[in-house]
Amino acid sequence: MQKKNFDVVDLVNDQDVVIGTALRSECHGNPSFIHRAVHVLVFNDRGELLLQLRTKTKDIQPGKWDTSVGGHLDPGEDYLSAAVREMAEELGISGHPLTQLYSSKIRNEIESENIMTYLCCYDGVINFAPDEIDEVRFWPAAEIDAALGSGRFTPNFEEEWLLFNQWLRRHRTADGDQELSAGASFADLYQQIRQGERN
């Protein structure tokens, strides 16, 4: 699928209310321009997380492993629509339900983003966008944990991994299973992830 080439993004405030627009290029390098983005965490049935290796031509964090899917919202677009679109554009995955996990804010010297993170379980063919991604592969949780702080991952992914694990801990039941009601397709998601960690 051909990626849309929107040069403009909505600017928002800390409460995520649209207050204007700016060029995408202006948002990278100017942390006063808060804009919206989505992340999708794609797990396989072994509980491994798909990561993408950013091309060496990326203007931000080239050549580093990053979240399965990530991208800006187009002007006027909602978070879920952006997540569905970005997943199709970056990985060629479409028609699979997404579960909304949590919102977060990234604030650093490069950019400021309000982010919504979604989850997808997928074991099919991946046709990634070679103009954005050099490689994709599934990582076991233990391998990710061992590589944290090594410089192999983007700082944003390391923060996302921390947030995801905090989310998992908050949603465990007394018997250790996962309370997950959003997205009926993922009622047994946590058991799949835990089973994958044990294999």
Side-chain angles (χ1 to χ4, degrees):
M1 176 183 290
Q2 183 64 36
K3 190 175 180 75
K4 294 178 186 176
N5 185 20
F6 280 97
D7 293 324
V8 176
V9 295
D10 288 331
L11 296 180
V12 297
N13 59 21
D14 271 332
Q15 291 71 46
D16 211 40
V17 175
V18 176
I19 57 172
T21 59
L23 295 174
R24 284 176 187 258
S25 57
E26 293 177 307
C27 293
H28 292 162
N30 187 344
S32 68
F33 284 178
I34 305 171
H35 53 289
R36 293 169 169 165
V38 290
H39 291 170
V40 181
L41 301 175
V42 178
F43 283 91
N44 64 19
D45 64 2
R46 295 180 302 280
E48 299 166 332
L49 176 62
L50 184 77
L51 297 182
Q52 60 165 271
L53 183 62
R54 297 168 66 83
T55 64
K56 294 176 179 61
T57 58
K58 284 279 194 180
D59 58 342
I60 304 260
Q61 301 294 329
K64 292 194 175 184
W65 289 95
D66 203 0
T67 305
S68 312
V69 173
H72 297 109
L73 275 66
D74 289 336
E77 191 174 31
D78 64 78
Y79 283 106
L80 179 58
S81 297
V84 169
R85 174 181 55 77
E86 288 285 346
M87 193 165 66
E89 290 174 354
E90 293 188 6
L91 302 179
I93 301 174
S94 59
H96 287 267
L98 298 177
T99 296
Q100 181 177 313
L101 298 182
Y102 47 80
S103 61
S104 61
K105 295 177 181 179
I106 287 180
R107 304 289 187 263
N108 56 43
E109 68 280 358
I110 298 172
E111 63 182 344
S112 297
E113 292 183 333
N114 290 353
I115 298 171
M116 187 67 70
T117 298
Y118 295 86
L119 184 143
C120 178
C121 286
Y122 182 76
D123 273 286
V125 175
I126 296 171
N127 294 307
F128 64 85
D131 58 328
E132 294 190 33
I133 301 168
D134 280 343
E135 180 185 348
V136 296
R137 77 174 176 90
F138 284 99
W139 293 60
E143 188 179 358
I144 294 173
D145 290 337
L148 292 174
S150 68
R152 296 179 70 187
F153 302 132
T154 66
N156 286 2
F157 169 69
E158 293 204 356
E159 187 170 336
E160 183 74 69
W161 186 242
L162 174 66
L163 290 170
F164 176 69
N165 281 283
Q166 289 172 345
W167 181 87
L168 280 180
R169 286 191 293 274
R170 282 196 310 271
H171 291 81
R172 285 186 177 140
T173 61
D175 61 4
D177 287 335
Q178 184 67 24
E179 281 182 42
L180 189 60
S181 58
S185 297
F186 300 109
D188 60 349
L189 168 68
Y190 183 68
Q191 283 134 354
Q192 290 180 23
I193 294 171
R194 293 298 295 171
Q195 183 64 36
E197 289 175 353
R198 286 193 289 266
N199 290 340

